[in-house]
Amino acid sequence: TSSNSVMSSTEHFGIAADGAPSITDNSLDSADTTDSFIVNVSVSDVDGADSVWVEYWFGTGSKTNVSMVNTVGDFWENNSIVIPYDSDDDLFYNISAVDIYGFWGHLVNQQVVVSDNISPVIVADNTPVSAGTGNSFIFNATVTDNVGVSDVYVNYWFGSEPAQNESMS
């Protein structure tokens, strides 16, 4: 310059982050009692997903929040959810993902229908082995189940007569 002074200028540039992560659930929508349930999601984000969590609960029970593991590429999994042995309450979960710039994405109210796949067990048949003509006869059995016994039926017949199917109490 003509006055021999040094000139400088400062420029500010903004970095544009590209929004919240997008989450796609790849998990099954049903499970059986005692299953190890795997939550599997795809998380896409041009800035890169930093962490992913699953918050889960059964029925109206308390919630548990655990981190998921990046298995490969955009896929994240958590396999620490065990379907209880003694309940057929449905599993519910929410997924949350955060990218490297702190933008959050959420996938909420996912439901897994839980079925009891363990049959009841007749522990003991306490029914008398003989009866007299004209006397009352009482069938008696002890039945257990992991979730609960709702109905027990007995089939009986006399000689060549058609079988009777009666509910026990």
Side-chain angles (χ1 to χ4, degrees), residues 29-147:
D29 60 2
S30 64
D32 292 329
T33 52
T34 70
D35 279 357
S36 291
F37 188 79
I38 298 173
V39 177
N40 178 300
V41 296
S42 302
V43 179
S44 58
D45 188 277
V46 296
D47 302 316
D50 187 49
S51 299
V52 180
W53 293 271
V54 58
E55 175 188 52
Y56 69 92
W57 64 97
F58 293 94
T60 58
S62 61
K63 296 179 178 180
T64 301
N65 194 11
V66 293
S67 61
M68 297 180 70
V69 175
N70 183 229
T71 55
V72 63
D74 291 342
F75 293 99
W76 294 74
E77 282 189 356
N78 180 285
N79 60 358
S80 65
I81 301 174
V82 176
I83 307 297
Y85 169 80
D86 59 353
S87 174
D88 60 357
D89 287 342
D90 286 350
L91 166 65
F92 298 91
Y93 60 92
N94 300 323
I95 305 293
S96 297
V98 62
D99 68 14
I100 61 174
Y101 293 109
F103 289 102
W104 287 87
H106 303 281
L107 184 63
V108 297
N109 298 324
Q110 303 301 99
Q111 181 175 2
V112 177
V113 176
V114 174
S115 299
D116 176 17
N117 64 330
I118 300 172
S119 298
V121 175
I122 300 173
V123 177
D125 182 355
N126 306 312
T127 304
V129 294
S130 64
T133 303
N135 293 333
S136 295
F137 190 80
I138 298 174
F139 294 95
N140 183 315
T142 303
V143 182
T144 63
D145 187 65
N146 59 313
V147 174

